[in-house]
Amino acid sequence: MDFQVVVLAGGASKNLAPLVSEEVPKALLPVANRPVLSYILELLESSNLKDLIIVVEGSDAANRVGGWVSGAYADRLHVEVAEVPEDSGTAGALRAVAHHLTASDILVVSGDLVTDVPPGVVAATHRRHGAVVTALLCDTPISGFSEGGSLGAKDKAKKPARYNIVGLDPTRQFLLLIASGAEVEKDTRVQKSILCSVGQMEIRADLMDAHMYALKRIVLQEVLDQKGTFRSIRQDVLPYLVKTQLRSDVAANESSKVEGLSSTFTSKTNLTWLSQHREIAPSAFHNGHESDANGSLSTTCTHKCCAYIASRSKYCARLNSIQAFIDINRDVVGEANHLSGYSFSAQNNVVHPSAELGSKTTVGPQCMLAEGSRLGDKCSVKRSVIGRHCRIGSNVKIVNSVVMNHVTIEDGCLVQGSIICSNVQLQERCVLKDCQVGAGYVVTSGSEHKSESLAKK
Amino acid sequence: MAQKKVARSASSDDPEELARVPLQAVLLADSFATKFRPITLERPKVLLPLVNVPMIEYTLAWLESVGVEEVFVFCCAHSSQVKDYLNKSQWTKHPSTFSVTPIESHDAISAGDALRVIYNRGVVRGDFILVSGDTVSNMSLTQALQEHKERRKKDPLVVMTMVIKHAKPSSTTFLQTRLGNDEIIMGIHPETKELLYYEDKADHSQRVLSLDRTLLTENPALCLHIDKQDCFIDICSPEVLSLFTDNFDYQHLRRHFVKGLLVDDIMGYKIFTYETHSSYAARVDNFRSYDTISKDIIQRWTYPFVPDVQYFGFGSQIRFERQGIYRAPDVILSSSAQIGAFSFVGHGTTIGDHSIISKSVIGQRCIIGRNVVIESSYIWDNVTIEDGCKLTHALVCDGVHLRAGVVLEPGAILSFKVEVGQKLVIPAYSKVSVLPQPCKQDSDEELEYADTTSGVVESPSITSVLNAQNQDLMSDTVDATDSDPTEVGISGVGYIWSVCEGEHDEEWRFSIAPIPKEKLEKFSRGSPDDYDVINQDECGIPPYGELPPDSDGTEFDGGDGEDYHDSADFEKEVEATFLRALTGVNEENVILEINSLRLSCNMSHSDCAGALFHAIMKSALAIPYSNNRELLENTVKEIKTWKNLLKNYLRSQDEEIEILLKFEEICLETTKEFRPLFSSILSQLYDMDILTEDAILSWAKEKEGADESDKIFVKQAEPFIMWLKEASEEEDEDEDEDEDE
């Protein structure tokens, strides 16, 4: 496939403090004891997309990601790691690597995506329709624990968060409207011309833009060049393309600029686009348009924006918040454990052979215990992930939590719904509920914390 | 409220009792609209023939077929005609399982009023079907009724189920449906089919549709449809009536009631939709839908409600022949005449030699001469068409007489008993009636009907006179300018109604005539502007017609008024009013009119003064003059004449300054003739006590800091101002002397 892949790995995202640090950029945050970036890379590899550019914000982060990638994927993928300044935004990141792009279509993927939707289907949809942009949409994940616990019940009562408002044609193939970010909470503005041309628009608030886009390179470069103020693909580029689809500047410019490469594009696309619409929404384009297809429509260019909606059975989530971090870790060792790449035991958990468990210590289902970790007596681990070489004392209870590497948890601690970063020390009888503990932090003995973010100054 | 609760508990708790209630229907035999004028001035819309059968027959027959047992026919406009018709019809003759009861009211002006009347009668006991008397349908309501009942069992707040239908593709986009309705945008829940959003009065200039955010917070998904047609068939719960009674400002069924319920989240009433797929349902709302539905009937989409099926004592047999031709057996057809496909010819009609009829409906006892061409037209009963006439896309009512060689251009409507003189060309989209056009009022049909005798037009656009008496020319300043007036309508009877300017652009939309090519092109090209540019001022302004002289300014109200009633328009209005004062209207009336204009346009006294002054100056200029001196004399005379009128608005110094500024503006921009006379007229204005010295001085003072270009007139008037200044110093001593000088 003539697709080039750009993975936007981000940098030290502020949303994820205190989990991320200079040592651990967002892309390397562990999900079931693997960097989150590895999920998307392996997915791309399985779709035979091996030519990638990973864009990282910040030089430290870039070095670390580069180091990890070259170590882990040296022989498997052809990866180039590009570094962009921090806060350059997704569009800025693409702008920085634009001169590296040569393929006719570009697949832009967010590095924090954990999914089992093959990128190939998005690419195929993109190609099939000759679209300018194709976005992967998935169901909005329901955050919080889906089972058990008072905490879970509370979260379930809440309505699922809304990330995007999406307008689709009746066949759900074309993207007619997208609102994201702050726009979601405002009144939705629908362009009448688009509504008129399809007749019926389904507006959904329960879909999420998964940040996997297939884009036509020429159009992408065009837009990035012309719209210097565009910072984000999600908030600027995609809405722009969607909104101008019936009156395309990009298609017009493109045809004049690149005649050889996409001679089929402008002239034919208009017609196929129309005919496709007519096929699917027969009432949408009538004789009036048909006769115009030869005449007046050649002056107004159209381009297509498509959507691929992942089926409900597919897993699709983005690690872009602390809650998402817990959720994804839970899911990857739980209901979506095929993603983790580990083989689960009969008890539906993964306990590394080198891990040591004390007497009367139980590790429940949907748990993961990585190599070299040691648990004392009478411990209980439920629905949690414990990293490498952790030292855990006796009578420790760990529920719904993520414990990273080299963590020391002393006797009698209770850890619930929390994230414990690497090299943290929890002294005796600590109680942590819904907390995040930054790397290297020491929680003093006997202290109790609830819904706090603890990090070294 | 108490009644409502009783009704609700009865319907939800006791399904057996519900079952015992016979299915009732409310038929509104009044459209509360004026789209069928001038025809509806003489006959109610529901009795107008649709393929030779009054519309109400279709509705009643359909209601009977869907199992309705009691129909309440609400009649208002021409109620006696409707009642007479019903009394004579077979519906009331055999009151077996289907009873038709007329309910009469004379003061209802809207569907809301009608439903309030029906509520007060207390005749509706359970769920009922609400239709208007112009509905043509063959759909089965069984499933819709069942769905409605089931929903109501679960949720007593469900008050209505609206029948919708996929809009048939039209020749252009949805901006123009084939029924000539406004586009309707509906937001429907994809699974429950609950109606969440309804917009029928869509502003065409508005390129972006704004959905309230709460719509999407409450519903994860919403289907926006522009491809659905509202059939105006509603299955209502009894609460609908009480809701109308509670909210006495609900007038229009859709605009007020449906939208009102949708935005009202306190009561939480819900409206659902039911989509019918294969069956026919449409409403004759305007001339275009009249045309479309007639064709659908002829093409048998409405089966069994087609002319050759004897579903309602329909005279004698109509034969259905090949190519969709319906012909009564006693038609006298010349052997050389041709009847083309999809036509209907009624009883006793005679068609002469070499006449060609295609896609048309011809009623009973018509006499059609030789070499007549009738294409896509509707000829009602007892029409005489003499030789050589040509009719395309026209509607001709009962008793019309077209003399030889008349040409009806597309979209022409000839109301009852109109006579058109020889070789007259009736221009496209014109409406001709023997009744003069009533003055424009935005009330309902019925009221205007009552008014027609008193409210006879004073409007300048109608200058034609009743031709029957004086054999005068039937001409019209607006519509017939292109046809030679000397040829128009020898021995004709009727007035050509003027199209009020606001509707002129829209006329093609509702007309029988097909949409003109250029409009189609305009639509298909339709310029979807940049997404964030809503160019409201470009095309959102309806062409603004001259205010009829006797209007009380009601047209100015409404929230969207502000945009275009700017001072220029206001000025024009004032000028028009003033011009009529010139023609001899009482000065007091003029003051009254200007005052009401001022209030309705939200203008100040100074605006009035300025505008009036402008008008006076203009009229002065209109008097012929040979040199500046004469012009000055004329002006002074003119100002003197209207001094009192003008003074009426000069409440304070501000108004006087406004006049000065206006005067400057006139001299600078519009009429340069006054330029050299500025200072002389100024001093005259002062002499006539129109302007006080304080005003003039403060005007001069104001101008001191202005640009040089702004100061031409101040400079010109400098000697006068200087004199004034000096005078004011002496003023203390002797005031009266100043004036004598």
Side-chain angles (χ1 to χ4, degrees):
Chain A
M1 278 200 289
D2 187 19
F3 262 94
Q4 225 172 344
V5 182
V6 178
V7 180
L8 302 173
S13 166
K14 290 186 190 70
N15 288 345
L16 291 170
L19 307 190
V20 292
S21 57
E22 278 175 13
E23 292 82 43
V24 189
K26 180 178 165 185
L28 299 183
L29 277 178
V31 169
N33 292 324
R34 272 167 57 188
V36 62
L37 189 60
S38 68
Y39 288 86
I40 196 68
L41 293 185
E42 262 158 45
L43 188 70
L44 291 167
E45 189 188 11
S46 71
S47 288
N48 211 18
L49 292 160
K50 295 185 176 174
D51 187 16
L52 350 157
I53 300 172
I54 299 175
V55 190
V56 188
E57 285 184 349
S59 57
D60 278 352
N63 287 338
R64 288 186 188 272
V65 172
W68 171 75
V69 169
S70 56
Y73 293 96
D75 46 342
R76 292 154 66 188
L77 296 171
H78 176 249
V79 179
E80 213 172 307
V81 176
E83 172 204 325
V84 293
E86 288 189 40
D87 286 330
S88 41
T90 48
L94 274 182
R95 223 174 257 133
V97 298
H99 56 279
H100 291 296
L101 303 176
T102 50
S104 70
D105 292 287
I106 311 294
L107 190 73
V108 179
V109 193
S110 177
D112 58 7
L113 183 64
V114 179
T115 183
D116 51 0
V117 179
V121 296
V122 178
T125 308
H126 184 68
R127 279 288 166 81
R128 191 167 63 238
H129 293 298
V132 156
V133 60
T134 304
L136 171 65
L137 302 175
C138 61
D139 284 315
T140 303
I142 295 151
S143 61
F145 288 88
S146 52
E147 46 175 324
S150 59
L151 188 128
K154 230 187 284 165
D155 272 356
K156 265 168 98 180
K158 243 176 26 184
K159 281 188 180 173
R162 301 180 320 140
Y163 295 95
N164 293 100
I165 288 175
V166 176
L168 299 164
D169 78 308
T171 57
R172 299 182 179 171
Q173 289 175 12
F174 295 101
L175 193 59
L176 307 172
L177 168 85
I178 188 152
S180 53
E183 280 178 58
V184 173
E185 298 305 322
K186 290 185 196 152
D187 290 357
T188 308
R189 294 161 68 80
V190 181
Q191 274 170 287
K192 244 191 220 168
S193 54
I194 292 181
L195 179 60
C196 285
S197 64
V198 287
Q200 168 181 347
M201 185 191 288
E202 189 179 355
I203 296 178
R204 302 268 298 260
D206 56 349
L207 289 176
M208 186 184 81
D209 176 3
H211 287 218
M212 184 191 283
Y213 311 106
L215 287 148
K216 211 163 260 290
R217 176 179 60 88
I218 304 156
V219 171
L220 175 66
Q221 286 173 339
E222 176 94 31
V223 172
L224 290 176
D225 278 355
Q226 285 185 351
K227 311 280 174 183
T229 52
F230 281 5
R231 281 199 75 246
S232 155
I233 297 179
R234 177 174 65 108
Q235 296 195 339
D236 301 319
V237 178
L238 183 62
Y240 170 76
L241 288 174
V242 169
K243 278 168 182 163
T244 56
Q245 58 183 310
L246 283 183
R247 207 188 194 187
S248 166
D249 294 330
V250 285
N253 289 334
E254 185 193 347
S255 62
S256 55
K257 263 191 184 168
V258 232
E259 280 154 28
L261 222 150
S262 60
S263 58
T264 50
F265 180 68
T266 338
S267 52
K268 266 194 184 160
T269 325
N270 287 337
L271 295 174
T272 47
W273 192 78
L274 287 178
S275 62
Q276 245 151 357
H277 267 275
R278 199 180 299 127
E279 208 174 287
I280 48 163
S283 47
F285 285 90
H286 310 301
N287 311 335
H289 260 136
E290 204 160 18
S291 60
D292 277 336
N294 316 316
S296 62
L297 253 178
S298 56
T299 53
T300 53
C301 286
T302 58
H303 60 238
K304 286 195 277 183
C305 299
C306 294
Y308 177 84
I309 301 173
S311 74
R312 255 162 222 276
S313 58
K314 294 285 185 188
Y315 185 79
C316 196
R318 287 188 58 219
L319 200 168
N320 52 3
S321 67
I322 286 167
Q323 185 62 54
F325 180 78
I326 296 191
D327 291 343
I328 291 172
N329 269 292
R330 176 200 66 210
D331 293 338
V332 166
V333 295
E335 54 195 50
N337 57 26
H338 58 284
L339 281 167
S340 65
Y342 297 97
S343 53
F344 279 70
S345 70
Q347 288 82 39
N348 200 13
N349 58 19
V350 183
V351 178
H352 197 272
S354 65
E356 290 173 31
L357 275 72
S359 67
K360 291 189 181 169
T361 286
T362 54
V363 177
Q366 302 185 7
C367 282
M368 178 174 277
L369 204 55
E371 65 206 55
S373 285
R374 204 179 322 151
L375 274 78
D377 298 337
K378 293 181 187 167
C379 287
S380 160
V381 180
K382 285 178 189 163
R383 292 187 299 278
S384 298
V385 177
I386 294 171
R388 296 178 189 88
H389 307 292
C390 292
R391 294 282 171 277
I392 294 169
S394 301
N395 281 319
V396 172
K397 219 173 163 190
I398 301 174
V399 185
N400 292 334
S401 297
V402 179
V403 177
M404 295 189 196
N405 304 330
H406 304 287
V407 173
T408 308
I409 300 176
E410 294 181 2
D411 296 353
C413 285
L414 171 67
V415 178
Q416 197 177 24
S418 298
I419 303 164
I420 315 293
C421 289
S422 299
N423 302 317
V424 166
Q425 190 189 356
L426 303 187
Q427 292 177 346
E428 286 179 329
R429 297 182 311 283
C430 285
V431 178
L432 294 178
K433 281 184 181 166
D434 306 330
C435 289
Q436 298 90 43
V437 186
Y441 192 81
V442 179
V443 181
T444 50
S445 66
S447 59
E448 272 188 44
H449 297 278
K450 202 170 177 190
S451 303
E452 278 179 70
S453 178
L454 308 168
K456 277 206 279 195
K457 292 286 175 326
Chain B
M1 263 335 219
Q3 236 171 325
K4 192 194 293 177
K5 277 192 188 112
V6 170
R8 193 183 295 171
S9 61
S11 55
S12 52
D13 297 341
D14 195 353
E16 291 198 5
E17 197 198 340
L18 191 76
R20 269 193 287 129
V21 174
L23 185 57
Q24 293 175 311
V26 171
L27 188 153
L28 302 177
D30 192 332
S31 60
F32 303 108
T34 56
K35 287 188 177 142
F36 268 87
R37 293 178 136 219
I39 302 171
T40 45
L41 286 182
E42 290 163 72
R43 196 187 280 186
K45 182 173 150 195
V46 292
L47 297 186
L48 302 183
L50 188 68
V51 194
N52 212 21
V53 176
M55 291 181 198
I56 196 169
E57 289 287 336
Y58 290 93
T59 316
L60 287 172
W62 171 67
L63 286 175
E64 188 189 24
S65 75
V66 297
V68 171
E69 289 167 62
E70 279 179 70
V71 179
F72 300 100
V73 177
F74 180 87
C75 29
C76 187
H78 308 280
S79 55
S80 54
Q81 281 191 47
V82 178
K83 271 164 68 185
D84 286 351
Y85 178 84
L86 289 175
N87 287 334
K88 280 182 202 148
S89 75
Q90 44 125 3
W91 302 114
T92 43
K93 273 180 201 149
H94 316 287
S96 50
T97 52
F98 185 69
S99 74
V100 177
T101 319
I103 291 179
E104 197 179 353
S105 163
H106 293 289
D107 49 2
I109 56 159
S110 69
D113 290 340
L115 293 179
R116 284 184 274 273
V117 169
I118 287 164
Y119 177 76
N120 290 334
R121 298 278 169 106
V123 285
V124 171
R125 283 157 282 167
D127 288 355
F128 65 98
I129 298 162
L130 178 62
V131 289
S132 68
D134 46 16
T135 307
V136 177
S137 174
N138 61 2
M139 69 176 287
S140 157
L141 274 184
T142 324
Q143 204 192 335
L145 280 168
Q146 198 184 333
E147 279 180 19
H148 180 76
K149 287 206 171 110
E150 273 165 20
R151 274 197 287 263
R152 273 186 59 77
K153 252 180 236 165
K154 281 185 218 140
D155 188 352
L157 291 175
V158 176
V159 292
M160 192 159 117
T161 300
M162 269 167 60
V163 176
I164 57 168
K165 189 173 185 299
H166 190 83
K168 285 196 184 175
S170 91
S171 51
T172 161
T173 57
F174 291 99
L175 286 170
Q176 176 55 58
T177 67
R178 69 199 276 276
L179 290 177
N181 300 325
D182 287 326
E183 55 178 348
I184 296 175
I185 298 172
M186 283 189 263
I188 296 171
H189 193 288
E191 269 122 49
T192 64
K193 302 291 174 202
E194 185 183 346
L195 184 74
L196 302 168
Y197 178 83
Y198 188 95
E199 183 61 62
D200 65 340
K201 259 293 198 213
D203 186 356
H204 290 290
S205 62
Q206 203 86 336
R207 292 192 176 110
V208 177
L209 193 77
S210 194
L211 295 182
D212 197 78
R213 63 191 174 84
T214 50
L215 264 184
L216 282 163
T217 34
E218 282 158 22
N219 306 285
L222 163 74
C223 250
L224 267 193
H225 292 274
I226 202 167
D227 57 348
K228 296 282 183 268
Q229 163 195 329
D230 190 345
C231 301
F232 297 96
I233 297 170
D234 302 325
I235 301 166
C236 302
S237 310
E239 281 95 328
V240 169
L241 293 179
S242 52
L243 273 170
F244 266 100
T245 313
D246 293 346
N247 298 280
F248 48 84
D249 53 340
Y250 282 174
Q251 302 289 347
H252 193 278
L253 262 181
R254 293 288 182 261
R255 227 160 283 156
H256 300 121
F257 176 70
V258 170
K259 282 188 187 172
L261 287 199
L262 291 180
V263 296
D264 177 14
D265 41 5
I266 299 166
M267 302 298 279
Y269 287 112
K270 289 177 189 152
I271 298 171
F272 284 80
T273 57
Y274 172 83
E275 189 175 351
T276 173
H277 291 280
S278 55
S279 44
Y280 193 86
R283 188 181 157 205
V284 183
D285 180 56
N286 48 41
F287 287 117
R288 178 176 300 286
S289 46
Y290 180 88
D291 173 57
T292 315
I293 294 170
S294 296
K295 291 202 163 104
D296 290 340
I297 293 169
I298 287 177
Q299 296 179 6
R300 306 177 83 75
W301 292 103
T302 59
Y303 190 86
F305 306 116
V306 290
D308 60 318
V309 175
Q310 294 213 325
Y311 50 94
F312 35 44
F314 181 176
S316 55
Q317 193 80 34
I318 297 280
R319 278 208 309 269
F320 177 53
E321 300 171 1
R322 275 189 298 176
Q323 291 190 306
I325 299 170
Y326 298 82
R327 188 147 61 126
D330 53 351
V331 169
I332 303 163
L333 183 68
S334 156
S335 56
S336 57
Q338 293 174 30
I339 299 183
F342 302 117
S343 293
F344 178 100
V345 183
H347 295 286
T349 290
T350 315
I351 299 172
D353 300 339
H354 303 292
S355 288
I356 300 168
I357 289 157
S358 60
K359 294 182 199 153
S360 299
V361 174
I362 295 170
Q364 303 173 30
R365 297 175 298 280
C366 293
I367 299 163
I368 292 166
R370 280 167 298 185
N371 297 318
V372 173
V373 179
I374 300 175
E375 193 200 327
S376 297
S377 297
Y378 300 90
I379 317 283
W380 294 358
D381 300 344
N382 300 319
V383 173
T384 308
I385 298 174
E386 292 183 6
D387 300 352
C389 290
K390 194 165 182 292
L391 291 79
T392 35
H393 300 285
L395 193 151
V396 178
C397 294
D398 290 3
V400 168
H401 191 142
L402 303 183
R403 297 222 153 71
V406 168
V407 175
L408 301 189
E409 287 188 352
I413 310 289
L414 268 58
S415 187
F416 298 98
K417 299 202 175 72
V418 164
E419 288 180 31
V420 182
Q422 283 186 0
K423 293 187 180 166
L424 173 66
V425 178
I426 302 284
Y429 307 124
S430 40
K431 295 173 178 173
V432 187
S433 170
V434 289
L435 295 177
Q437 185 168 26
C439 49
K440 202 185 161 203
Q441 280 174 344
D442 58 343
S443 56
D444 71 311
E445 219 162 274
E446 198 264 346
L447 272 187
E448 296 214 33
Y449 161 68
D451 276 355
T452 44
T453 43
S454 59
V456 169
V457 205
E458 217 186 309
S459 154
S461 50
I462 285 282
T463 54
S464 58
V465 224
L466 195 66
N467 293 325
Q469 280 113 25
N470 51 14
Q471 296 282 302
D472 207 338
L473 307 175
M474 190 168 68
S475 70
D476 180 280
T477 46
V478 174
D479 286 305
T481 40
D482 52 348
S483 59
D484 186 357
T486 55
E487 259 179 72
V488 184
I490 304 293
S491 77
V493 178
Y495 294 93
I496 296 186
W497 282 26
S498 70
V499 178
C500 33
E501 284 178 45
E503 286 166 24
H504 196 79
D505 273 358
E506 302 290 295
E507 200 61 36
W508 57 271
R509 196 187 287 279
F510 306 120
S511 166
I512 284 184
I515 303 167
K517 267 251 155 54
E518 59 267 33
K519 298 283 182 194
L520 278 181
E521 265 166 40
K522 207 177 113 200
F523 266 112
S524 50
R525 237 172 241 163
S527 46
D529 226 327
D530 251 0
Y531 53 89
D532 39 14
V533 181
I534 310 161
N535 226 340
Q536 260 190 318
D537 41 17
E538 187 185 283
C539 46
I541 304 165
Y544 169 57
E546 197 123 291
L547 199 68
D550 45 355
S551 162
D552 54 1
T554 44
E555 287 176 60
F556 283 98
D557 65 17
D560 54 342
E562 300 299 325
D563 298 332
Y564 54 92
H565 294 132
D566 54 2
S567 49
D569 282 320
F570 173 73
E571 219 160 74
K572 268 188 208 145
E573 294 303 331
V574 171
E575 200 186 317
T577 316
F578 175 74
L579 283 177
R580 283 181 315 102
L582 281 180
T583 60
V585 174
N586 192 334
E587 201 170 281
E588 275 170 29
N589 286 348
V590 174
I591 292 172
L592 210 64
E593 274 173 35
I594 294 179
N595 273 339
S596 62
L597 262 178
R598 179 180 70 81
L599 291 172
S600 58
C601 295
N602 200 11
M603 293 292 184
S604 64
H605 276 289
S606 58
D607 291 314
C608 283
L612 197 60
F613 181 73
H614 188 190
I616 293 171
M617 295 303 275
K618 259 191 155 172
S619 74
L621 197 69
I623 303 169
Y625 62 95
S626 54
N627 55 30
N628 277 348
R629 205 181 151 68
E630 271 179 46
L631 178 63
L632 178 64
E633 275 167 19
N634 289 342
T635 314
V636 171
K637 223 173 95 194
E638 205 57 25
I639 293 173
K640 251 189 194 141
T641 322
W642 302 111
K643 198 171 99 178
N644 286 336
L645 187 61
L646 195 57
K647 275 197 137 180
N648 200 42
Y649 295 99
L650 301 177
R651 303 279 165 97
S652 68
Q653 198 177 308
D654 287 347
E655 281 87 48
E656 291 169 31
I657 292 176
E658 174 68 27
I659 286 193
L660 269 168
L661 294 174
K662 193 86 213 172
F663 190 20
E664 261 191 296
E665 193 190 306
I666 294 167
C667 295
L668 264 178
E669 281 155 22
T670 49
T671 41
K672 303 218 160 71
E673 291 87 341
F674 286 117
R675 259 182 149 162
L677 301 175
F678 184 85
S679 100
S680 349
I681 295 177
L682 186 67
S683 66
Q684 288 292 339
L685 285 172
Y686 174 75
D687 286 349
M688 280 187 271
D689 276 344
I690 290 172
L691 300 180
T692 60
E693 58 183 77
D694 288 345
I696 295 170
L697 288 177
S698 58
W699 164 73
K701 208 172 170 188
E702 232 171 71
K703 286 278 169 180
E704 261 166 28
D707 290 343
E708 277 308 303
S709 59
D710 258 9
K711 278 162 104 174
I712 331 169
F713 296 108
V714 184
K715 280 200 176 135
Q716 199 193 355
E718 209 154 15
F720 176 68
I721 292 165
M722 287 302 287
W723 173 83
L724 268 185
K725 273 185 186 158
E726 281 162 23
S728 66
E729 279 158 22
E730 295 164 23
E731 199 174 77
D732 297 336
E733 291 143 37
D734 196 351
E735 215 178 64
D736 295 344
E737 258 182 33
D738 286 347
E739 276 187 22
D740 293 338
E741 281 172 41

